[in-house]
Amino acid sequence: MFKFMDLAIQEAINAFNKNNVPVGAVIVKNNNIISSAHNQDFWHAEILCIQKAQLILGKFLNDCSLFVTLEPCPMCLYACSLAHINSIVCGASRTDYRKDEKTKKIELIKNIKQEQCSALLKNYFNLKRL
């Protein structure tokens, strides 16, 4: 589990280095990395990662897990539901929303490497405030 989150963190660092909000995502199936992505301009890492995985596996990503450095926003959570992603492993957590009827089937595992993921976000936004 940690090696996949490490790759998501590396993707987040790539976003940070490109002056984008540092969020990275990785999709895994059967312990194999299917796709990875990071935030790019206004594109969320989760959406980009899902699109890449769908090019490889097809429309539905059954038996796949998404590793992401920040708990997905409602839009990305719903996209995961539509893509049939089974579980989401998050680094930093959000408290501004809850899962609903459409997304309740997705297993959500929080706070994996949370300090490292949160630090990237805090550093990014602190630099933006200078």
Side-chain angles (χ1 to χ4, degrees):
M1 178 182 312
F2 292 111
K3 70 179 179 178
F4 301 127
M5 187 57 77
D6 286 338
L7 180 56
I9 290 168
Q10 186 54 56
E11 286 288 347
I13 291 168
N14 292 343
F16 183 93
N17 290 338
K18 294 176 183 175
N19 203 27
N20 289 304
V21 177
V23 177
V26 176
I27 291 180
V28 175
K29 182 174 184 170
N30 299 326
N31 273 336
N32 294 309
I33 297 167
I34 305 301
S35 64
S36 64
H38 57 270
N39 277 8
Q40 295 179 27
D41 301 322
F42 55 87
W43 291 98
H44 290 204
E46 301 93 327
I47 300 298
L48 294 171
C49 201
I50 289 169
Q51 289 175 331
K52 288 179 181 181
Q54 287 176 326
L55 290 174
I56 296 165
L57 299 176
K59 182 177 180 178
F60 298 117
L61 304 178
N62 297 313
D63 302 318
C64 287
S65 296
L66 172 72
F67 290 77
V68 63
T69 57
L70 176 62
E71 187 174 345
C73 71
M75 175 189 72
C76 291
L77 187 61
Y78 189 60
C80 289
S81 176
L82 291 175
H84 295 197
I85 289 175
N86 290 25
S87 62
I88 301 173
V89 180
C90 309
S93 293
R94 301 173 62 121
T95 58
D96 55 345
Y97 65 89
R98 304 243 188 288
K99 293 194 319 182
D100 63 17
E101 287 298 311
K102 291 179 174 41
T103 59
K104 71 178 182 181
K105 293 180 182 177
I106 300 173
E107 179 184 16
L108 193 58
I109 302 164
K110 295 184 178 186
N111 301 323
I112 304 301
K113 296 206 167 203
Q114 188 251 348
E115 287 182 20
Q116 200 172 354
C117 296
S118 294
L120 272 169
L121 290 160
K122 287 176 186 174
N123 289 341
Y124 175 82
F125 287 110
N126 284 337
L127 286 171
K128 289 293 178 188
R129 290 185 186 110
L130 296 179

